[in-house]
Amino acid sequence: MKEITITVNGTAHTLQVENRLLLVHFIREVLNLTGTHIGCDTSSCGACTILLNGKSVKSCTVLAVQANGKEIQTVEGLAPEGSLHPLQEGFKENHGLHCGFCTPGMMMRASELLQNNPNPTEDEIRWGISGNLCRCTGYNNIVKAIQYAGAKIRGEELPSTEPEFV
Amino acid sequence: MIQCKTSKAISGMGHSMKRKEDARFIQGKGNYVDDIKLPGMLYMDIVRSPYAYAKIKKINTEAALKIPGVVAVVTGKDLEQYNLHWMPTLMSDTQMVLPTDTVMYQAQEVAAVIATSRYAARDGKEAVIVEYEPMKPLMDPYKSLNDDAPILRPDKPGKTDNHIWHWQAGSREETEAVFSNADVVVKEQMHIPRIHVASIETCGCVADYDKVDNHLTMYMTTQAPHAIRTVIALVAGHVGLTEEKIRVISPDIGGGFGGKVPVYPGYVIAIAVSFLVGKPVKWIEDRSENLQADSFARDYHITAEMAATKEGKILATRFKILADHGYTDAAANPSKFPIGMFSVCTGSYDYPTSFVEADAVYTNKPPGGVAYRCSFRVTEAVHAIERITDRLAFEIGKDPAKLRIENFIQKDQFPYKSPLGWEYDSGDYVAGLEKAMNAIDYDGLRAEQVEKRKKGELMGIGISTFTEIVGAGPSKDFDILGIKMFDSAEIRVHPTGKAIARFGTKSQGQGHETTYAQIIAEELGIPAEHIQVEEGDTDTAPYGLGTYASRSTPTAGAAAVMAARKLRDKARKIAAYLLEVSEEDLEWEPGKFSVKGAPEKSKTIQELVFAAYTNHPQGMEAGFEATHYYDPPNLTFPSGAYICVVDIDSETFEIKVRRFVAIDDCGHIINPMIVQGQVHGGLTQGIAPAMYEELIYDEAGNILNGTLMDYLVPTAVESPKWETGHVITPSPHHPIGAKGVGESPTVGAPPAIANAIVDALSVYGVTHMDIPITPYKIWKKLKDTGKI
Amino acid sequence: MIPAPFEYDAPTTLEEAIGLLQKYGDEAKILSGGHSLIPMMKLRFASPERLIDINGIAGLSHISEENGTVKIGALVREVEAEHSDLLKKHFPIFEDVTHLIADPQVRNMGTLGGNLAHGDAANDHPAVMIALGATVIATGPDGERAIPIDEFFYGFYMTALQHGEILTEIQIPVPPAGTSSAYHKLERKVGDYATAGVAVQLTLDANGVCTAAGIGLTNVNPVPLRAARSEAALIGKTLTTETIAEAAKYASEDCSPSSDLRGSEEYKRDMVAVLVKRMIKKASERILI
């Protein structure tokens, strides 16, 4: 057991945890923040992605003790209560989600992507989310959602959210 | 442009309404099964067999029970005391819940460890020591029927071989006659490999048995909560868990695709343990367990043959199938159709003769045979017909688009009776293919291909023009475990004109909370925004068979229309009463009734609903509620025309999907945004088995790629930018002309991709490659045939 | 997907970490990025009794140039290598390779030191470091020790690191003008381990004659492999199609891939030849630019 202090979405939590406690379980089971999901056991799917000191990481492959003294942001902290982050808006407006299970991880990953590269190309977005699996959407609209959020963050005119057909 | 009858404020059919369910998902407020936490809840982990076929000599639980937090270890012998160690499959086969003496596939459940925490349960699992006596497993379905094959299911009385069922349709003799006289016969042997749905959420449950009330609440990842409740009652009724004592709640589901239809042993064990200890028990499987033990899809070995004239007129087809079901037939097909709707394999082409025969066998692989985002076995059927059609085009040197157009069922031939007995409801296949060809510039691509070939570059163009068969189904032919495949809707409109609607289906991401509301909005004129849709709770929703096989819109969607129309009839009566005119003098427009010729005299739906509670005509029942159980008169037949262009590296054989155009006909469209989203997603689940996914076993019965590191689910990099469009031929028998769409792209995409790759490789004389087609397989094929 | 219990230390100095390693010996494993180790622990393929988390040790995260040597601290994350202007200036290969390692989240955690110290021939940096002629600095109870990369990899998951030693730095000689490098791997899908990977660094003189060559191979040999005969085939020659083909042939002959889900031995040899050819071309084109 080890005492750790982790700041999650702006609130510091000091707790005794088992050394082997995975950060994702700390978030989900100890803090009951269930927006962060678990989709695999090999760091392959990205459903558990959160920000650790501003960097997107797979919280299933980080020990809670490793996050001692650090700051974490989860989907619950993406936007202040009662408002939506441009990514949240982008995903909703562009149908960037179906079942919603990969969505929090996808958005957390995208939030770092846009932080580093506010105007990514489609190719940069696709490579940028290559550590996040989505089984439902086929990714087209996730790309569109991230482009929309980028435009919103840059303060530019928002792209159309209507579906385009050939 | 899709025409809308309602305003955007009402958002009936045709509006790309943003999804109502998204608010919770984007804010981390979805409620998936692993998010459920109950007081005193115990955790279960499952010990699984490392062997594909072995006798269990001993299970030593001593060390496990000493681990702090471990409460119990449950084995098959324990369940046997309550006669809970076996359960039925949805195909009326039988399956062990936990084995008492023999394990039949690798990763089979052997024992369950119950503990006060997830971590202790896992430690306990590691500490259970099982002694096995391994036996040589039967992994090859072709060897399964050999005389010297071990009999895998001696538990089934009288079973003397590994044959499960034989099924056939059409006339063997007539088909043989056509084949023997045909100018051209082409034939290919195909394997549609074993794959896994791998929804990002794995399966799991929280079984919460209350000893005082003798009541079970079962939270679980199920696509069919009502059917599951019935199955639980069938399995556990004898211990007092009768159906009224069972409540199944299917919370938010993180993707289903067919993998969350079956009843897995883990669910039953969790129920049994909760029943015995009187505490809630949570079981959430790992991804590896999910891939290794949960129901697979496909695994059909198909011999496909086509007979034609030398000009390319298709005369007949013949298909012979060997279905590998693994240890038990745990598919989820309608009872009469153990092969599902494979007999739609005659495709989109007009010819009179076909014969299909199939045999299913047991092997030492995990059980199953569920869909993978497709209607019952339709992907296998479509792959066979679309590949063999291309094979014919290659054989006679005809352009595959031209060959298809010349053989299509014409739009004035609908309803069309197919050679194997289906009645296709509607379609315009020529329009679909021409639209796809124009969108992708088919002629330009063929010209480019000629130039590329001169330079030795590998470029291929592949077409698939498929017909789906969904919406099961009419009760005369369709049931699962005897329960007819109707579905249901219940609409309750509150006095203030806002509604709640409940359904027997269960969304796993399809957007029912939005599209069902839009259907009701279309029929009643109540804004979709004010219609709350609820599914998944068997205590509140009307009985239905659930969501799979693209059946929700064809069945429950139709039920919503019919229930809404009952309410509209009632509203008309109330309007006539309030406006003091006869019902015939009233006109409906979305949201209100007005008097013919006097439009200023009108009543809105909200006023009429209010009156139903406050001022209804004498003799009329108060309230504004209706329920409908919809028994579809026929299945629906969505179709599509897909064209794919690939470029293949001539040295590494890496395959790049350059463009992919998908034109779908799903009848009338409820929400274009959602339909398009479904098509995108289905296409990625089409490229997946075409180029990446396959469950691979060695001869010893070991799965070789049982994690997501080796089971290759496509990312945004592999998945191309999809281009989609539609033609619309409404289903004539569906009350709003809709057909269902979620699975068409998964069905139609693999042959388009395979055809494109084979087209590229046709310069080497390649006529067929089994999916998934990988760079290595191409290299091997060319190496083996001496081409490189 | 839960590791077995273990003890955990998070030393803040190298001395403390080395002391712990000496004390606990084989029981302890170093936790760096953790993205190879933690998944193995979750699957219980590895159950170390103690983890020594070195992430809190200062002074291991530098990328610097000193006296003709580029020094990379063991805790430099893949993402930092991907975006380092200094590395880009001398070694374009880093952008090639980091882009192809796992995925962005893993690259945020994974370290260059860990990628080498894991001793896995499937990892990408070993081949790169072979091509670049790197030296690995190990720090132990007796101070620092420089291990040439060719003496670093011993066997399956085995390296030259001794008990009590920590890989602390990677040193790469700054190449002369007329040098460039390239890396590519074939993968079944993005982020996969290599079916085959090839790292090349070349120096060409003003006449286009190759004066130095480094070629490393990923995942086609039990240990990361230097394609020495291929290098020799290039040196002193202009890079004609024939010369390149000869180098490619030697690499495909000298590696020793195993047949597995990624393909047969013969296939991998063929792919090594293709990649060697392509990476030589790519590196040489980068020189001319």
Side-chain angles (χ1 to χ4, degrees), chain B residues 123 649 651 710 713 718, chain C residues 44 188-190 277-278:
Chain B
D123 291 344
D649 187 301
E651 290 182 311
D710 287 309
V713 172
E718 288 76 34
Chain C
R44 303 212 180 188
R188 296 171 300 174
K189 70 173 224 186
V190 63
K277 186 178 78 181
R278 288 183 182 185

Side-chain angles (χ1 to χ4, degrees), chain C residues 232-270:
Chain C
L234 298 177
I235 292 171
K237 299 200 185 135
T238 52
L239 302 179
T240 60
T241 308
E242 292 72 27
T243 308
I244 295 172
E246 192 185 3
K249 179 170 150 289
Y250 288 148
S252 75
E253 287 171 2
D254 293 350
C255 64
S256 184
S258 51
S259 297
D260 57 21
L261 288 177
R262 291 181 173 79
S264 67
E265 179 193 333
E266 194 189 359
Y267 165 69
K268 291 180 183 181
R269 288 187 192 278
D270 270 14

Side-chain angles (χ1 to χ4, degrees), chain B residues 118-119 122-123 126 286 649 651-652 654 692 696 704-705 709-710 712-713 715 718 776 779 783, chain C residues 1-2 5 42-44 186 188-190 192-193 261-264 266-267 270-271 274 277-278:
Chain B
R118 204 185 284 264
Y119 281 50
R122 178 62 204 235
D123 291 344
E126 293 298 318
D286 288 355
D649 187 301
E651 290 182 311
T652 63
E654 289 167 291
Y692 300 99
I696 305 168
L704 300 180
N705 58 346
M709 292 178 76
D710 287 309
L712 306 174
V713 172
T715 73
E718 288 76 34
Y776 170 53
W779 175 89
K783 200 83 179 172
Chain C
M1 52 166 297
I2 292 159
K42 282 163 64 179
L43 296 167
R44 303 212 180 188
L186 294 180
R188 296 171 300 174
K189 70 173 224 186
V190 63
D192 189 19
Y193 286 110
L261 288 177
R262 291 181 173 79
S264 67
E266 194 189 359
Y267 165 69
D270 270 14
M271 293 304 110
V274 173
K277 186 178 78 181
R278 288 183 182 185

Side-chain angles (χ1 to χ4, degrees), chain B residues 253-286:
Chain B
I253 302 281
F257 315 116
K260 289 171 180 167
V261 174
V263 179
Y264 294 118
Y267 297 136
V268 180
I269 306 166
I271 293 170
V273 173
S274 182
F275 183 76
L276 295 175
V277 302
K279 286 188 175 173
V281 175
K282 178 185 273 193
W283 167 64
I284 306 292
E285 64 183 6
D286 288 355

Side-chain angles (χ1 to χ4, degrees), chain B residues 206-316:
Chain B
V206 179
D208 181 19
Y209 177 71
D210 182 330
K211 275 192 169 175
V212 175
D213 289 338
N214 180 32
H215 183 275
L216 172 74
T217 305
M218 182 69 176
Y219 305 88
M220 66 186 281
T221 45
T222 177
Q223 301 175 222
H226 298 274
I228 293 297
R229 186 186 67 196
T230 304
V231 173
I232 296 172
L234 292 174
V235 174
H238 65 278
V239 296
L241 268 180
T242 46
E243 200 162 357
E244 85 285 10
K245 297 289 187 190
I246 304 164
R247 178 184 187 185
V248 175
I249 296 178
S250 188
D252 287 328
I253 302 281
F257 315 116
K260 289 171 180 167
V261 174
V263 179
Y264 294 118
Y267 297 136
V268 180
I269 306 166
I271 293 170
V273 173
S274 182
F275 183 76
L276 295 175
V277 302
K279 286 188 175 173
V281 175
K282 178 185 273 193
W283 167 64
I284 306 292
E285 64 183 6
D286 288 355
R287 168 62 56 199
S288 311
E289 295 178 290
N290 171 263
L291 286 173
Q292 293 170 24
D294 285 3
S295 196
F296 69 90
R298 322 276 194 258
D299 216 350
Y300 266 26
H301 298 262
I302 304 172
T303 309
E305 294 173 276
M306 181 174 268
T309 66
K310 57 183 184 301
E311 293 77 27
K313 172 71 194 143
I314 301 171
L315 301 173

Side-chain angles (χ1 to χ4, degrees), chain C residues 22-23 68 86 88 90 99 106 127 131 158 175 181 195 199-200 213 222 236 245 248 274 281:
Chain C
Q22 281 183 291
K23 186 171 168 193
L86 179 62
K88 272 184 206 171
H90 295 307
H99 192 55
V106 174
M158 279 164 60
S181 53
T195 299
V200 169
V274 173
K281 282 185 184 160

